[in-house]
Structures are given as C-alpha cells and as structure tokens.
Amino acid sequence: MEPGETPADCALRETEEELSIPRAEIRLLGQGDFICNQRGFLLRPLPGLVSPAGLATLRPAPAEVTEVFTVPVEFFRTTLPQPCAYDLIPHVPESFPYEAVGIPRDYPWNCGKVEVPVWLYGGHAIWGMTARIVRDLVSHL
C-alpha cells in the first residue's frame, strides 16, 4: 500500500497496474478473512467481480505477471483440492539464551504442519497462497 491508500484503493490500483483492468470495471464484494503466512506476513484478500468489459481489457504487465488464466468458480465448488502438507520444524540457534528465559537446552519446542491445497485445472496448478484464498472464498459462497 502506498501512503494514504486504503486496502481497497491499493487492490484496485494494483489490479489496474498489473492487469490493465480499470477500477471502474471491478465491483469489490467485501473483505476476505485474514490469512497468515509462516513467513510472517498477514494478508486480507479483497474479492471482486470483474465486468465483461473489464475482462476484455485484460493485458498482463510483462514485468509483473507471467501468465493469466481463468477457472470457473463451479470447479472449485465441486472439486476438492489435493491435500498436501509439510512439517514446520523449529531450528533454534545455539546462541538462544536458554538460561535467560528459564528453559532447559532440551526444551520440547512445538512443531507444526502447513497445509498446502493444490488444484489442477487445464494444465495449471492453483496452489499455495492463491489456493488458500480461493478455498476461503468458496467456503463463503
């Protein structure tokens, strides 16, 4: 976001810059749920409907967008993603101040698991953060 910009302004500006879809051709539908990433960023999607006229103006900015494709919403409503997951394993540095925080060196750090939904459609994979956003959006339809 740029200074003084609202999340909606930012989403519409970025869509126009990256895909050449005029903001007037997008009807925002509200805000999605917050999605937290293990890399430390928090994302709040702003889903919207693009008009047919807006879709006709779609021209990806080559410096920012490699490829654009569409998938019918019904596909996501009727097809479960392939369930994939990986373990989050803490790697605590030797320099961690165990004594200062009052825990032993063999402290049982919690591990975690990250689910990575994957849909395959028309030779494309919809996965990761994009798939998490789609899964959340479809759950509210």
Side-chain angles (χ1 to χ4, degrees):
M1 285 182 15
E2 294 179 356
E5 204 172 40
T6 68
D9 291 336
C10 176
L12 294 170
R13 177 184 53 75
E14 287 287 337
T15 301
E16 192 164 13
E17 288 174 6
E18 294 181 12
L19 300 174
S20 300
I21 298 173
R23 35 186 107 202
E25 300 300 330
I26 302 168
R27 180 169 57 100
L28 293 178
L29 302 175
Q31 294 182 352
D33 289 338
F34 284 104
I35 298 176
C36 185
N37 179 280
Q38 66 275 13
R39 289 186 178 174
F41 68 84
L42 188 63
L43 181 122
R44 187 158 202 191
L46 290 155
L49 289 176
V50 177
S51 72
L55 197 55
T57 68
L58 188 140
R59 301 288 180 278
E64 304 220 29
V65 180
T66 303
E67 181 180 27
V68 174
F69 60 94
T70 60
V71 180
V73 171
E74 192 60 26
F75 170 77
F76 296 110
R77 293 180 73 177
T78 60
T79 307
L80 291 175
Q82 179 179 332
C84 301
Y86 62 90
D87 293 327
L88 290 176
I89 302 167
H91 293 283
V92 183
E94 283 297 318
S95 62
F96 187 83
Y98 288 95
E99 296 77 22
V101 299
I103 59 175
R105 287 199 169 272
D106 63 350
Y107 181 80
W109 293 96
N110 288 330
C111 295
K113 189 173 280 294
V114 175
E115 184 181 320
V116 182
V118 178
W119 277 282
L120 301 176
Y121 181 84
H124 300 282
I126 300 94
W127 69 283
M129 190 58 74
T130 302
R132 290 175 69 189
I133 292 167
V134 169
R135 182 179 58 192
D136 181 64
L137 180 62
V138 170
S139 76
H140 290 90
L141 294 178

